[in-house]
Amino acid sequence: MTKLNSHLRVSSIAASALLTVAMAIFPPGATAQTAVRPGAPVTLNFNNAEIDAVARTFASITGLNVVVDPRVKGTITLVTDKPVSRAAAMGQFVAALRLQGYTLVEADGLYKVVPEADAKLQSAGVTVQEGDDGKLPAGNQIATQIFKLNFESANNLVPVLRPLISPNNTINANPGNNSLVITDYADNLRRMGRIIAAMDVANATDVEVIVLQHAIASDLAPLVLRLLGSSASGAPAGQVDTAFKTTLIAEPRSNSLILRASNGAQLALARSLVARLDQPDANSGKDASGNIHVVYLKNADATKMAATLRAAIGGNAASVGASTATAGAAGGAVTPAATTGGQIQADVATNSLIITAPEPQYRQLRAVIDKLDGRRAQVFVESLIAEVSADRAAEFGIQWQGPLGKAGDGVIGLLGSNFGTGGKNIINLATGAASGTVAPPRGLNFGAVQQTNGVYVLGFLARFLEDSGSGNVLSTPNLLTLDNEEAKIVIGQNVPFVTGQFTNTGSSNGSVNPFQTIERKDVGLTLKVKPQISENGTVKLAIYQEVSNVLASSVNAPNGPTTNKRTIESNVLVEDGAIVVLGGLLQDEYSGNEEKVPGLGDVPLFGNLFKSEARTRKKTNLMVFLRPVVVRDAQSTGQLSLDRYDLMRAGLQTAQPKPSSLVPINEAPLLPPAPVKATAGNPPAPLGVPAQ
């Protein structure tokens, strides 16, 4: 009964509130047709009215489609002392819902009263900060806005903005395009936009050029950066962001510093340090040592650098003197010729330059030195010499000898054929067989002997031979040299060649004192390269390559050995890392020899009994390839060296002998693992010592 009374009382209150609003809309005496006026003000008087009933009332007032989520329960109080516009009335309604934990969202013309926690899933309004700020809904409605950042990181702003957003709404960062996606009430989104605009500013200052008056820019830049220390980086702890770092670069031509600081404080600190350090020399003008400067070179050779600078200074002085003399000859006033007054010496022990010059001229010389004393690039030259040879030989011959007559005849005739020399000739074999001084030739030998007066004599010999041989020779000499520096590698033997002989036979006691004069020459592979790297990366190579070997058949020749020699001397242009062919040899030789009995040797098939043939063919293919690789920094040099080191070590590992219990030597020399790179507190291991 109590519940029923309460329900009736609430219903009556809601009805009275509806009646009040209706009376505000329809004044007494007005009809429905004449009372409804668009934009007419209304007076609200809801006292503990059901939210559902109030929502239906506002739907009828505003003409909007309003639905209420079943989960929305409770009462609401809305009272106005004087008539207000319908938009203001709707704003008060949404504000009252917000205080109850509910909100009004709009999607495709339908307004829904839902719990605040679900509003972010039902809101259809999405705007972008750039140009869409005016499209945000009323302040108490939930919307989604995308903020695109230009300077600040989206991940850095999330923890700053999250406490400012209502608990039921969200903020997310998209690192891909550096943007923030925030879902919240429209008035809070406008506040977030102002906060983000204030924080999304460039962290680094503009580029500033500081012209030095006394100090040298290349000397002062690393010193100032060291003095700035860790404060030169404005990035938060645990983050790596190069945009926050203070950058200081020396510009030698104008003797100035180019500064870009991470913030204003860093800029002011850098300026103060430069101003304090850019002071004249305390000893300048007081004694003779005020104009003496020592410059330690990093890459260049001090002796060559001193000669280059002296030549440059001498050329300038000569041109100035010549122009002054010309002016005097023309009748003008003759002024003393300007002289440089400088002196440059090289100290080989410390690879440094000692320059005696006034301050302005020293700054000019120092700018030239900084440009010339740069790290020079290196060129790794890979050479490949490939030679493929194939030899084939074939021999065939039939020889026979026999007497004509009987034993006891006064005249006995001989009939037969003999071809070739040495062990190939049937007569030589027949006469030398008894003593064993002549051996049969190579190949298949088929013969027949006959007995004459108790002696066996070789009367028939057939010989068949086919010989083939092939060989592949591959040489890969490699060289690493500095740009514009000649390098040479020789792989071979130092072979002696007799150049003269003398025998002393004129002594009274008849003794002989012979002697020979010998000249030794390198025989093998020689590669000599001088690279020059151009501005666009093309490499010009001055190449001399020689491949020579001693002919095996001439090692014991009385006049000395004979050498085969192939030489290439050329200048080529190659792209970095490209392969170029320098030259080659394509040789194909054929030789044929035939011995036969005239007439009989030409008879088809039967004529083979009266002939001997030998044919040979030799093919040689030789090609020389070259590939230069430009190595510009220490990291590339180390990587190249480690690759070759690992390649050699892998080859030695595969060449290890198999374990054997009979032969106790089971290990071959093996390179240790490549030494690790030196770090702080961990010096590099010596080459040849395994890394720990």
Side-chain angles (χ1 to χ4, degrees):
M1 190 67 181
T2 303
K3 294 183 178 179
L4 178 60
N5 293 333
S6 300
H7 179 71
L8 292 175
R9 184 170 55 255
V10 172
S11 300
S12 63
I13 293 173
S16 64
L18 293 175
L19 179 60
T20 303
V21 175
M23 291 178 65
I25 300 175
F26 304 101
T31 63
Q33 287 78 10
T34 60
V36 178
R37 293 174 307 188
V42 296
T43 301
L44 303 179
N45 187 15
F46 294 100
N47 187 14
N48 292 328
E50 293 287 343
I51 295 178
D52 189 5
V54 176
R56 288 196 301 270
T57 303
F58 273 95
S60 62
I61 293 174
T62 59
L64 303 175
N65 296 322
V66 180
V67 296
V68 180
D69 191 285
R71 293 171 294 177
V72 176
K73 303 293 183 180
T75 60
I76 191 172
T77 299
L78 282 176
V79 178
T80 58
D81 297 335
K82 58 183 179 179
V84 295
S85 65
R86 300 186 183 189
M90 178 61 77
Q92 291 185 15
F93 174 57
V94 177
L97 289 176
R98 182 175 178 180
L99 296 176
Q100 297 280 351
Y102 307 116
T103 187
L104 183 69
V105 297
E106 184 269 338
D108 297 330
L110 180 64
Y111 289 81
K112 296 178 286 187
V113 179
V114 296
E116 187 182 75
D118 293 344
K120 58 179 175 291
L121 304 177
Q122 311 217 11
S123 175
V126 178
T127 59
V128 181
Q129 183 190 24
E130 298 177 358
D132 287 348
D133 291 344
K135 296 182 180 180
L136 286 174
N140 288 317
Q141 293 188 28
I142 290 181
T144 300
Q145 188 168 8
I146 300 174
F147 298 89
K148 294 183 178 180
L149 306 181
N150 297 319
F151 304 101
E152 185 60 62
S153 173
N155 290 327
N156 292 343
L157 288 183
V158 168
V160 177
L161 300 177
R162 189 180 298 277
L164 304 178
I165 298 174
S166 55
N168 290 327
N169 294 317
T170 61
I171 176 173
N172 295 291
N174 180 16
N177 60 358
N178 196 34
S179 61
L180 292 172
V181 181
I182 304 177
T183 301
D184 203 358
Y185 290 97
D187 54 355
N188 200 29
L189 287 178
R190 294 185 178 91
R191 184 168 64 111
M192 292 294 104
R194 293 191 293 270
I195 295 174
I196 292 173
M199 301 185 68
D200 185 27
V201 295
N203 293 288
T205 62
D206 293 336
V207 176
E208 183 168 345
V209 178
I210 304 176
V211 180
L212 302 181
Q213 300 297 328
H214 306 284
I216 304 300
S218 57
D219 291 342
L220 197 59
L223 181 59
V224 172
L225 280 178
R226 183 178 298 180
L227 291 175
L228 291 176
S230 59
S231 61
S233 176
Q239 297 185 7
V240 179
D241 191 349
T242 56
F244 288 91
K245 292 183 179 179
T246 297
T247 304
L248 186 64
I249 302 175
E251 205 283 305
R253 187 185 62 83
S254 60
N255 193 38
S256 58
L257 297 175
I258 302 175
L259 174 64
R260 183 175 184 267
S262 59
N263 48 57
Q266 284 289 314
L267 179 63
L269 178 60
R271 282 177 178 172
S272 63
L273 289 175
V274 172
R276 293 180 183 181
L277 295 174
D278 186 24
Q279 300 295 331
D281 190 359
N283 296 325
S284 179
K286 295 182 179 180
D287 51 26
S289 63
N291 289 335
I292 299 178
H293 309 272
V294 178
V295 180
Y296 294 95
L297 301 181
K298 302 180 181 66
N299 300 284
D301 181 76
T303 304
K304 296 181 180 179
M305 180 73 76
T308 302
L309 295 177
R310 283 195 294 265
I313 293 177
N316 291 337
S319 61
V320 172
S323 61
T324 305
T326 304
V334 180
T335 58
T339 60
T340 59
Q343 184 68 29
I344 303 173
Q345 297 293 334
D347 182 58
V348 180
T350 59
N351 194 39
S352 58
L353 296 175
I354 304 174
I355 302 176
T356 304
E359 193 68 24
Q361 186 185 15
Y362 170 68
R363 282 200 293 266
Q364 294 179 355
L365 291 175
R366 186 57 189 269
V368 176
I369 292 171
D370 291 339
K371 291 182 178 180
L372 297 179
D373 190 29
R375 180 186 176 91
R376 298 170 61 185
Q378 301 182 90
V379 179
F380 181 74
V381 182
E382 294 178 296
S383 178
L384 188 146
I385 305 170
E387 181 176 0
V388 180
S389 61
D391 300 337
R392 295 187 63 187
E395 297 183 17
F396 166 78
I398 296 177
Q399 306 174 58
W400 53 273
Q401 290 287 338
L404 298 177
K406 296 185 292 184
D409 291 345
V411 178
I412 297 177
L414 295 174
L415 181 63
S417 62
N418 60 296
F419 308 116
T421 59
K424 300 178 182 180
N425 189 275
I426 189 172
I427 296 180
N428 292 339
L429 288 173
T431 57
S435 60
T437 57
V438 179
R442 296 182 304 127
L444 176 63
N445 295 286
F446 176 74
V449 297
Q450 61 180 353
Q451 185 178 16
T452 304
N453 295 329
V455 178
Y456 290 96
V457 179
L458 181 63
F460 175 79
L461 176 64
R463 179 171 178 268
F464 305 90
L465 173 65
E466 183 174 354
D467 187 10
S468 63
S470 61
N472 295 338
V473 179
L474 184 66
S475 301
T476 56
N478 300 332
L479 273 176
L480 180 65
T481 181
L482 282 174
D483 180 26
N484 214 24
E485 294 287 344
E486 184 180 281
K488 179 180 179 181
I489 182 173
V490 178
I491 305 172
Q493 295 177 324
N494 196 255
V495 180
F497 291 86
V498 178
T499 58
Q501 296 180 348
F502 179 76
T503 302
N504 182 13
T505 58
S507 59
S508 58
N509 55 5
S511 62
V512 179
N513 298 319
F515 69 90
Q516 295 178 336
T517 57
I518 296 176
E519 180 184 4
R520 291 187 174 272
K521 295 183 179 180
D522 293 329
V523 176
L525 191 147
T526 302
L527 174 63
K528 187 162 55 176
V529 178
K530 184 178 182 180
Q532 184 178 355
I533 305 173
S534 63
E535 189 68 24
N536 59 357
T538 305
V539 183
K540 178 183 178 182
L541 298 173
I543 306 163
Y544 175 80
Q545 191 159 31
E546 176 184 311
V547 180
S548 59
N549 64 295
V550 176
L551 191 62
S553 59
S554 64
V555 173
N556 298 322
N559 295 327
T562 301
T563 58
N564 297 324
K565 185 177 181 180
R566 302 179 181 93
T567 302
I568 295 176
E569 188 171 0
S570 177
N571 295 314
V572 296
L573 282 176
V574 193
E575 296 295 329
D576 181 14
I579 299 176
V580 63
V581 58
L582 296 183
L585 171 67
L586 301 177
Q587 185 176 7
D588 195 347
E589 299 179 4
Y590 170 81
S591 63
N593 184 29
E594 184 181 51
E595 296 177 298
K596 63 182 179 179
V597 177
L600 295 178
D602 297 328
V603 178
L605 189 61
F606 181 74
N608 291 326
L609 299 175
F610 302 96
K611 71 168 59 173
S612 175
E613 284 187 272
R615 298 178 182 179
T616 60
R617 185 176 182 182
K618 183 178 181 181
K619 296 179 67 175
T620 302
N621 295 335
L622 173 65
M623 286 290 172
V624 179
F625 301 91
L626 210 65
R627 177 176 177 262
V629 178
V630 179
V631 183
R632 298 187 181 276
D633 51 23
Q635 182 179 1
S636 301
T637 304
Q639 185 64 39
L640 182 66
S641 302
L642 288 179
D643 288 344
R644 297 304 186 274
Y645 190 90
D646 293 339
L647 177 65
M648 181 61 68
R649 188 171 187 272
L652 293 177
Q653 284 178 327
T654 57
Q656 290 293 311
K658 296 181 180 179
S660 173
S661 58
L662 300 178
V663 181
I665 301 176
N666 292 321
E667 294 181 356
L670 179 64
L671 288 173
V676 296
K677 186 178 180 181
T679 57
N682 183 23
L687 191 64
V689 177
Q692 299 296 330

